[in-house]
Amino acid sequence: EVQLVESGGGLVKPGGSLRLSCAASGFTFSNAWMSWVRQAPGKGLEWVGRIKSKTDGGTTDYAAPVKGRFTISRDDSKNTLYLQMNSLKTEDTAVYYCTTEMATTHPWFDYWGQGTLVTVSS
Amino acid sequence: SYVLTQPPSVSVAPGQTARITCGGNNIGSKSVHWYQQKPGQAPVLVVYDDSDRPSGIPERFSGSNSGNTATLTISRVEAGDEADYYCQVWDSSSDLGVFGGGTKLTVL
């Protein structure tokens, strides 16, 4: 059974940093493309970014609002995905979901974690 | 950047058919995926590649895509189908994921 468990959320001041983790199990993590998707309170889904598998180059892509501030990385030896968030803004307040991404030219997100809440407030 | 437009809400009586649209410029040339999200829960993939269903998703859920509109159709709607539904595509020109704004399905 595929399981994705996010952790690391919490309250942080504007301008601060936070690192989210996503522990994966039930599939071959090293072969997986992974994405982060967020949802502000009462709002819709917003794609944050993704990382491909190392065999597919390990490259990352980011949405415009987070590019240059957020960094996605992976540790295949620990089956763990990370989201390093720097220079946080109040508008980054959201539930952050870790997802698996189907490795195609038109990917979808087939498995989702339960999410972790990040609150950016002074 | 590519924009997907969904109606904010759709209402339907139990047993009837619900149709949720997702508009985008020449969306028929893209693959559209649909997610269901119930309150307090993570989204669940219900249709991928326009019209395919993941295992475990009832046949009542189907999708189509042509021209400037993709449609998620839910037949014989049940109370348990009440949820928010999101369409999603991949913007290949920018290598970015794009979601529609979401549609709240209310079962009357």
Side-chain angles (χ1 to χ4, degrees):
Chain A
E1 178 195 4
V2 172
Q3 281 202 317
L4 300 169
V5 180
E6 301 95 336
S7 60
L11 176 63
V12 61
K13 289 182 167 51
S17 298
L18 206 59
R19 188 177 83 157
L20 306 183
S21 300
C22 171
S25 61
F27 63 102
T28 305
F29 180 75
S30 60
N31 291 344
W33 294 14
M34 302 293 296
S35 268
W36 289 96
V37 175
R38 68 183 180 182
Q39 186 170 36
K43 302 297 185 182
L45 302 174
E46 180 184 23
W47 179 79
V48 172
R50 67 112 171 251
I51 185 167
K52 295 182 178 179
S53 63
K54 285 191 168 55
T55 55
D56 289 314
T59 54
T60 53
D61 296 287
Y62 298 95
V66 308
K67 197 167 186 178
R69 299 188 298 123
F70 289 13
T71 302
I72 298 174
S73 61
R74 62 192 300 156
D75 186 337
D76 292 343
S77 68
K78 295 182 178 179
N79 288 351
T80 302
L81 177 72
Y82 301 102
L83 178 64
Q84 178 67 44
M85 303 184 293
N86 298 331
S87 304
L88 282 161
K89 306 176 181 180
T90 55
E91 52 263 41
D92 295 319
T93 294
V95 173
Y96 285 74
Y97 295 102
C98 160
T99 80
T100 58
E101 179 184 317
M102 180 55 62
T104 76
T105 56
H106 45 273
W108 60 89
F109 311 111
D110 39 4
Y111 294 99
W112 297 63
Q114 86 289 350
T116 187
L117 176 62
V118 173
T119 303
V120 184
S121 174
S122 54
Chain B
S1 60
Y2 194 78
V3 176
L4 295 174
T5 301
Q6 298 183 237
S9 62
V10 167
S11 298
V12 64
Q16 299 303 304
T17 297
R19 293 179 180 83
I20 298 172
T21 59
C22 176
N25 183 35
N26 197 27
I27 196 174
S29 66
K30 297 182 179 298
S31 291
V32 180
H33 321 301
W34 292 90
Y35 304 85
Q36 175 195 68
Q37 186 181 33
K38 296 181 179 179
Q41 298 184 18
V44 173
L45 178 71
V46 292
V47 166
Y48 66 95
D49 273 355
D50 296 339
S51 59
D52 290 333
R53 280 185 313 278
S55 61
I57 300 300
E59 291 183 7
R60 300 186 298 104
F61 288 81
S62 62
S64 62
N65 184 19
S66 179
N68 292 318
T69 304
T71 303
L72 174 69
T73 301
I74 309 172
S75 304
R76 303 181 299 284
V77 166
E78 303 172 356
D81 297 330
E82 192 162 277
D84 293 326
Y85 290 85
Y86 296 89
C87 58
Q88 176 252 317
V89 300
W90 194 260
D91 182 358
S92 302
S93 62
S94 312
D95 241 350
L96 302 174
V98 180
F99 285 95
T103 298
K104 181 175 181 57
L105 175 67
T106 299
V107 180
L108 300 170

